């Protein structure tokens, strides 16, 4: 960014740098990405109406923590992680999967019907070519409705949990059910057979996967990359680790145990969650300055 508006305060400059770092990590600055397509606009009918709870949740800064949390939770399914290990290249391109997921969520949340359906069709074509065999000798396919169902409920549960803990605007019980129901539209289009349509169904489906989940070597490796060895430096790395701490503080004890993470409820409530909220608020102000060219309230 060259040249600062005269009215931008010194603290805002730091916030703006943080906001630019976040958009860079997510790939949101790439004009060829889904984010670029959203900025270009589309006059077609929106996939979700402007007042949809999906737009409220996915447009909140708490999604930064929700995304990290979702990747941690998803890593517990060994078959899903086998597919990621063999086909996503996340070791050589650790942010690639996060960027692709962020772009997909953005376009299917804020895009037109045409943009959303095009993005869904691209993902389905990719899934059709992803298959393999687990170390135990079991075949897998990325297009398997059961695996797709796990990814769907893990994301929905993580995004809702992060919003409940860190979201700017609270979501009532009715809107939470509407969120799950609306998100089922994307799940169905991707190939999920019976996506949950309210919070109770979401919780029951999430719990139904527990016998399949375990924190093996692949899950621990993904956790190490996401939490302890992110490919970031300086202040951006420090800020990311605070977001990651907020994600850890939102995990249930059994997930932490599987991933080898400490469970400290008092520290979560007294330190980690408040610090994460403070960082999110600062980032939110940074985005306000970045995209409105005016100073945010200190």
């Amino acid at each position: 960014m060259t040249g600062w508006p005269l009215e931008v305060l010194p603290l805002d400059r730091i916030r703006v740098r943080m906001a630019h770092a976040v958009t860079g990590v997510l790939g949101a600055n790439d004009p060829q990405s889904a984010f670029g397509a959203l900025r270009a606009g589309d006059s077609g009918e929106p996939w979700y109406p402007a007042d949809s709870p999906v737009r409220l949740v996915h447009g909140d800064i708490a999604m930064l923590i929700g995304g990290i949390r979702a990747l941690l939770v998803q890593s517990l399914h060994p078959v899903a992680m086998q597919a990621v290990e063999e086909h996503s290249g996340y070791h050589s391109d650790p942010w690639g999967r996060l960027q692709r997921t962020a772009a997909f969520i953005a376009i299917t949340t804020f895009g037109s019907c045409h943009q959303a359906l095009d993005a869904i069709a691209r993902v389905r074509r990719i899934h059709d070519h992803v298959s393999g065999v687990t170390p135990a000798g079991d075949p897998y396919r990325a297009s398997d409705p059961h695996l797709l169902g796990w990814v769907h409920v893990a994301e929905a549960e993580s995004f809702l949990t992060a919003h409940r803990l860190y979201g700017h605007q609270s979501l009532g019980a009715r809107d939470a059910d509407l969120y799950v129901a609306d998100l089922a539209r994307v799940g169905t289009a991707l190939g999920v057979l019976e996506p949950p349509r309210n919070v109770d169904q979401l919780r029951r489906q999430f719990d139904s996967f527990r016998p399949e989940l375990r924190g093996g070597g692949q899950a621990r490796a993904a956790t190490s990359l996401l939490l302890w060895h992110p490919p970031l430096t300086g202040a951006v790395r420090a800020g990311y680790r605070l977001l990651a701490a907020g994600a850890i503080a939102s995990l249930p004890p059994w997930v932490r145990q599987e991933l080898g993470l400490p469970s400290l409820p008092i520290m979560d409530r007294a330190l980690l969650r408040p610090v994460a909220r403070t960082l999110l608020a600062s980032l939110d102000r940074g985005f306000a300055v970045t995209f409105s060219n005016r100073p945010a309230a200190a």
Side-chain angles (χ1 to χ4, degrees), residues 248-249 251 256 263-274:
I248 295 172
L251 293 170
R256 295 194 198 190
S263 185
L264 304 168
I266 295 177
M267 182 177 289
D268 291 345
R269 293 191 298 269
L271 179 62
L272 297 183
R273 291 176 185 172

Side-chain angles (χ1 to χ4, degrees), residues 92-222:
S92 59
D93 180 21
W95 295 128
R97 184 183 177 210
L98 179 61
Q99 291 173 353
R100 290 188 293 271
T101 300
F104 179 81
I105 292 171
I107 204 73
T108 54
T109 300
F110 302 104
S112 67
C113 288
H114 170 76
Q115 290 173 320
L117 290 172
D118 184 59
I120 290 167
R122 287 198 302 271
V123 170
R124 294 198 67 152
R125 286 194 296 270
I126 293 170
H127 285 173
D128 287 341
H129 296 283
V130 174
S131 62
V133 179
T134 68
D138 300 319
Y140 68 82
R141 296 176 294 109
S143 58
D144 178 2
H146 184 71
L147 285 182
L148 291 172
W150 163 245
V151 173
H152 180 82
V153 299
E155 288 183 350
E157 194 271 342
S158 287
F159 298 161
L160 266 182
T161 298
H163 189 85
R164 176 178 59 83
L165 292 174
Y166 305 110
H168 178 70
Q169 183 177 341
S170 63
L171 200 68
R174 179 178 178 275
D175 281 341
D177 282 339
L178 289 174
Y179 169 80
V180 177
D182 279 350
L183 207 59
R185 183 180 183 187
V186 174
T188 299
L190 282 172
V192 181
L193 294 182
E194 295 183 3
R197 298 186 180 278
N198 56 53
V199 173
D200 182 62
Q201 289 181 10
L202 174 62
R203 289 170 178 160
R204 284 191 280 111
Q205 286 198 23
F206 185 83
D207 288 342
S208 72
F209 279 96
R210 283 193 60 176
E212 303 174 37
L213 308 179
R214 59 180 180 271
Q218 290 176 332
R220 297 290 178 94

Side-chain angles (χ1 to χ4, degrees), residues 84-85 87-97 100 225 231:
V84 170
E85 175 81 20
H87 298 279
S88 76
Y90 81 94
H91 286 297
S92 59
D93 180 21
W95 295 128
R97 184 183 177 210
R100 290 188 293 271
L225 179 64

Side-chain angles (χ1 to χ4, degrees), residues 23-24 26-41 99-100 102-104 106-107 115 119 122:
T23 56
L26 294 177
N29 299 327
D30 181 0
Q32 302 303 316
S33 71
F35 296 101
L38 283 176
R39 286 192 290 269
Q99 291 173 353
R100 290 188 293 271
F104 179 81
I107 204 73
Q115 290 173 320
R122 287 198 302 271

